[in-house]
Amino acid sequence: MTHGFPTWPEPPEPRPSGARGWLIALALLLLVAGGAGVAWWLQGRPGEAGTSGAAGATVSPNDSSARAPAGVRVVVRVVNASGVRGLARRATLVLRDFGYDVVDYDSERTGRDDTQIVVHTGHTEWAGHLQRALGVGTITTSADTSRYVDLTVLLGRDWQPPTEPLRP
């Protein structure tokens, strides 16, 4: 039995420095850098996360060139003609965020590839704003003053809804 101060254990023998530790550190560094590079590349690609349509440019609801004109009620009907389930409802939410009064949405089973915006009341400039909000679409006119809507949107497969949730 010993009395007095406790003694510390002997330090371990130093290991010879080898390349193994450096290789592990280098592999971890390359893994982190590769992951950051992939995330950066995916973020910048058109039509991927963060974009609102096939055009690739994100349009903010505050963008005046995409919003419905101030003080004017632009009445819109949205028809999902793409065959992709749920697009009319998603487009309705997007257009309402841009200030359009979407009063009706429906579906057709036509399998349309391209989006068409039909002007019924002669206001082609409103169709241009709506086209900017969606990011896609060709504008055509079909004068019909007996309709209760100013514009009809026939959604095609070329329109992609935003990837972020619209509503909580």
Side-chain angles (χ1 to χ4, degrees):
M1 184 184 245
T2 54
H3 293 66
F5 293 106
T7 59
W8 295 102
E10 292 293 321
E13 294 282 329
R15 291 187 202 174
S17 63
R20 186 174 184 207
W22 285 104
L23 286 176
I24 291 173
L26 181 62
L28 287 174
L29 180 65
L30 287 175
L31 183 66
V32 169
V38 167
W40 172 79
W41 181 70
L42 287 176
Q43 184 180 15
R45 291 180 57 199
E48 294 292 330
T51 62
S52 67
T58 302
V59 180
S60 166
N62 297 327
D63 185 355
S64 63
S65 66
R67 290 193 60 77
V72 178
R73 181 178 179 222
V74 181
V75 182
V76 179
R77 178 175 185 243
V78 176
V79 178
N80 179 4
S82 69
V84 178
R85 195 170 176 190
L87 279 189
R89 183 184 59 79
R90 295 290 306 268
T92 296
L93 295 174
V94 168
L95 292 176
R96 285 180 178 163
D97 283 345
F98 280 96
Y100 295 94
D101 186 11
V102 181
V103 295
D104 185 27
Y105 65 92
D106 199 3
S107 293
E108 293 178 356
R109 299 188 194 274
T110 57
R112 183 179 192 88
D113 288 327
D114 58 326
T115 299
Q116 184 178 9
I117 302 165
V118 182
V119 181
H120 300 293
T121 57
H123 296 285
T124 54
E125 68 277 1
W126 295 352
H129 289 275
L130 190 136
Q131 180 185 37
R132 172 105 169 106
L134 290 177
V136 295
T138 56
I139 300 171
T140 60
T141 57
S142 175
D144 186 359
T145 57
S146 66
R147 285 194 162 280
Y148 65 96
V149 295
D150 299 306
L151 306 170
T152 298
V153 178
L154 300 169
L155 286 173
R157 288 188 204 106
D158 61 345
W159 184 72
Q160 298 295 316
T163 55
E164 66 275 353
L166 296 171
R167 303 282 185 250

